[in-house]
Amino acid sequence: MMKKVSFLYGIAGLFLGIYALIGFSTIIHLNEMGRLILLVGSCFFFYFGGLLLSKYRKDNKPMKINLWIYFLLYLLLLITLTLFDAEWGRHGIHLNFHFNFLSSTINLIPFKTIRMYIEGFNSLYSTKQILLNLFGNVIALMPMAFFLPFLFKKQNKFRNFIFTIFAIVFFIEFMQFVTSSGNFDIDDFILNILGASIMYGILKIRSINNFIRNIFLLEHNEISKKSYIRIFSTLAIVLLAIVLLVSIRKNIYNKNLDDYMRRYNPKIEIVDETETCEERLDSFYEDDLKVYYFSCMKSDNVYAIINDEEKYLVKEILNTENFEYNIDIYKILERLDYYQISYIKKDKYPKILFNIDIEDKNALINNAFVGNDNVLDVKFDNRNSSFENNQFSINLYLIPKTTGSSNLEVVFRNQNTDELTKYFYRVNVDENLNVTYNLVENK
């Protein structure tokens, strides 16, 4: 008997050891469901170990000790999910509290967050995000309705129980706020306390309370067959409702995603219906820095077929404000290249090319400062920048405004090293708005 007990407790300890190993490991990662399975598995073996030991001792003391073990494991999971779990957007304890961020980290308006997620049910919010923020907060403290009254006699009074739950929620929200692992949200209070109160009321139903006590404390309370039927049928209905809700939400999400992709990432087929073409530059689009041409007069014959349905002239798509599909010049150029339809792009203004040696392009910040902005405006061409062989290349366009001269300072900063690379230019704009420039200093 004792060998079996030791074996079961040993397996339970192994599950906890794996849980701890994963928690401290920087190599092995497991989502919240995986960790929950480990803890539930551990509780499963603790339960049967305690069951055998209680039969051997002929009392239920091991089962009462198990309740404390379950409670501690639940607290461990709760702390992990609310403060440390990266899957829930938590990053551990970072004491960088700033009053400047009060407006973005505190919500004291009841139902603001709840309403946002309810309205987001028909949106591209992920199903997981909505269910975790709504039902996850409802379920999170439901186990307290089981543990507190069973382990602490005073918690059998609803007033004491609610006060304790309020204190627990306040502590969690406060810790999330001051450690920057989450927000202080009044709606979390509402959902947490609502869930705990509902479960408290359910567990106070005599047949359910007796059923729970029979399982976890090995008591012999009498329960009628009708009560068993009501308990398990209610549980089945709740589980079925959850499955149905998740299924409905996934269908809504997939439909919204299809609609989104059709509009914002449509399939584009380019068709050139030109039969004869006069060789002359034919402008089909102009933005703030460049003009785009076909090499012959065919802009009235180059079409885009969208999602295998609608057919539009390319120039119509690019020059129509608030076009129903999200198609910009870069998507059109990519499709023109794919279908081997030649085009020409010309710069509208003179430009300066910069080549910066850097290992990580994301660490580079570029800025340009014009001494006299009445004479000159400048703009980096970020969309057409490139990074190859640890060299970042980008153009800065010089946009004339009126006749005159101005100093120009261009600064590149490496965020990883705080190293600055500076260029100083003298720029002149003549009466015809022609731009000339000279490098004065580079350091």
Side-chain angles (χ1 to χ4, degrees):
M1 175 69 77
M2 293 305 296
K3 287 183 179 181
K4 290 182 180 180
V5 171
S6 298
F7 174 77
L8 291 171
Y9 276 111
I11 297 296
L14 178 63
F15 273 66
L16 289 181
I18 295 173
Y19 182 93
L21 179 64
I22 291 173
F24 289 103
S25 174
T26 57
I27 301 174
I28 306 172
H29 299 282
L30 196 63
N31 61 23
E32 68 273 8
M33 183 56 67
R35 288 196 294 275
L36 182 62
I37 290 173
L38 284 175
L39 289 182
V40 171
S42 176
C43 291
F44 178 84
F45 286 102
F46 272 123
Y47 177 84
F48 285 101
L51 184 63
L52 290 178
L53 190 57
S54 293
K55 288 183 178 180
Y56 177 77
R57 289 171 50 94
K58 297 182 180 180
D59 61 32
N60 68 349
K61 188 174 181 179
M63 301 301 285
K64 290 181 179 179
I65 294 174
N66 276 355
L67 282 181
W68 280 101
I69 294 175
Y70 305 151
F71 183 50
L72 294 176
L73 293 181
Y74 163 68
L75 291 179
L76 174 64
L77 181 64
L78 185 64
I79 292 171
T80 300
L81 294 181
T82 54
L83 293 179
F84 298 98
D85 196 321
E87 292 283 333
W88 283 32
R90 316 304 183 194
H91 305 287
I93 295 176
H94 302 285
L95 296 175
N96 55 350
F97 175 78
H98 296 290
F99 282 100
N100 294 335
F101 299 102
L102 287 178
S103 60
S104 62
T105 55
I106 291 182
N107 171 40
L108 298 179
I109 303 174
F111 303 107
K112 177 182 178 181
T113 304
I114 295 172
R115 186 172 63 251
M116 180 185 73
Y117 282 111
I118 291 176
E119 292 173 351
F121 199 82
N122 184 21
S123 72
L124 281 173
Y125 278 131
S126 71
T127 301
K128 177 181 177 181
Q129 184 180 9
I130 290 176
L131 295 182
L132 284 180
N133 280 278
L134 289 177
F135 298 101
N137 275 319
V138 172
I139 295 170
L141 294 187
M142 277 187 170
M144 288 292 183
F146 167 73
F147 289 116
L148 294 182
F150 270 69
L151 296 175
F152 308 97
K153 290 183 179 180
K154 290 184 178 180
Q155 294 299 313
N156 282 285
K157 289 186 177 180
F158 184 69
R159 181 182 60 185
N160 295 339
F161 174 76
I162 285 297
F163 179 81
T164 303
I165 293 297
F166 184 90
I168 292 171
V169 178
F170 180 84
F171 175 77
I172 292 173
E173 293 296 306
F174 180 75
M175 288 300 297
Q176 287 181 345
F177 173 61
V178 300
T179 62
S180 299
S181 61
N183 298 332
F184 190 99
D185 195 333
I186 190 66
D187 284 352
D188 288 347
F189 277 84
I190 294 172
L191 294 175
N192 289 158
I193 292 174
L194 175 65
S197 300
I198 291 173
M199 183 56 69
Y200 185 91
I202 291 172
L203 295 182
K204 284 301 179 182
I205 298 173
R206 175 174 291 184
S207 58
I208 295 177
N209 190 271
N210 287 339
F211 179 71
I212 295 296
R213 298 184 76 87
N214 289 349
I215 292 176
F216 290 98
L217 293 177
L218 304 182
E219 294 183 1
H220 301 284
N221 299 301
E222 188 174 336
I223 304 174
S224 67
K225 290 182 180 180
K226 288 185 179 180
S227 295
Y228 276 117
I229 293 173
R230 284 196 295 267
I231 291 171
F232 287 107
S233 60
T234 302
L235 183 61
I237 290 171
V238 171
L239 292 176
L240 182 61
I242 292 173
V243 171
L244 184 61
L245 180 65
V246 172
S247 177
I248 292 172
R249 167 57 193 165
K250 284 186 175 180
N251 289 334
I252 292 174
Y253 175 83
N254 290 335
K255 181 182 180 300
N256 289 338
L257 181 60
D258 289 341
D259 292 341
Y260 178 89
M261 294 301 289
R262 284 178 59 82
R263 181 173 181 180
Y264 291 95
N265 190 26
K267 177 184 176 182
I268 304 172
E269 179 185 357
I270 302 294
V271 177
D272 185 358
E273 297 183 354
T274 306
E275 294 181 359
T276 60
C277 187
E278 178 186 351
E279 290 191 7
R280 194 175 70 183
L281 290 181
D282 183 10
S283 171
F284 64 90
Y285 182 66
E286 177 181 344
D287 60 21
D288 55 345
L289 298 177
K290 293 181 174 67
V291 182
Y292 300 86
Y293 303 88
F294 291 121
S295 57
C296 68
M297 302 298 292
K298 62 179 182 179
S299 62
D300 289 330
N301 298 294
V302 179
Y303 293 89
I305 299 174
I306 302 175
N307 296 324
D308 297 322
E309 297 174 355
E310 295 99 336
K311 180 179 178 181
Y312 302 91
L313 283 172
V314 165
K315 70 176 184 180
E316 178 185 356
I317 293 172
L318 295 173
N319 293 287
T320 299
E321 291 187 10
N322 301 318
F323 189 67
E324 60 181 304
Y325 296 98
N326 183 34
I327 302 174
D328 60 16
I329 182 63
Y330 300 100
K331 287 183 180 179
I332 291 295
L333 295 182
E334 186 272 329
R335 302 314 289 166
L336 290 174
D337 290 336
Y338 179 82
Y339 288 99
Q340 298 182 347
I341 298 176
S342 61
Y343 60 89
I344 298 167
K345 55 183 177 180
K346 290 189 175 182
D347 296 317
K348 295 168 65 174
Y349 309 105
K351 63 187 178 184
I352 306 173
L353 173 63
F354 295 94
N355 294 307
I356 308 298
D357 294 326
I358 191 168
E359 294 182 358
D360 178 11
K361 71 170 183 177
N362 296 316
L364 191 66
I365 296 178
N366 47 270
N367 286 295
F369 307 95
V370 178
N372 186 352
D373 56 10
N374 291 322
V375 171
L376 184 73
D377 195 7
V378 294
K379 186 172 183 179
F380 282 103
D381 188 12
N382 294 301
R383 289 294 298 264
N384 291 295
S385 62
S386 63
F387 181 70
E388 188 175 355
N389 298 325
N390 291 338
Q391 188 172 76
F392 180 75
S393 299
I394 191 170
N395 286 310
L396 177 68
Y397 283 84
L398 309 177
I399 305 170
K401 297 168 78 173
T402 187
T403 302
S405 299
S406 177
N407 294 321
L408 172 64
E409 179 184 359
V410 183
V411 180
F412 294 90
R413 182 168 74 89
N414 186 333
Q415 293 185 93
N416 293 335
T417 63
D418 278 335
E419 180 182 357
L420 296 178
T421 302
K422 296 184 178 181
Y423 298 85
F424 298 91
Y425 291 88
R426 185 64 179 174
V427 183
N428 295 298
V429 179
D430 65 19
E431 62 275 8
N432 296 318
L433 296 185
N434 295 314
V435 179
T436 58
Y437 59 89
N438 294 300
L439 178 64
V440 177
E441 186 180 2
N442 175 21
K443 64 178 182 178

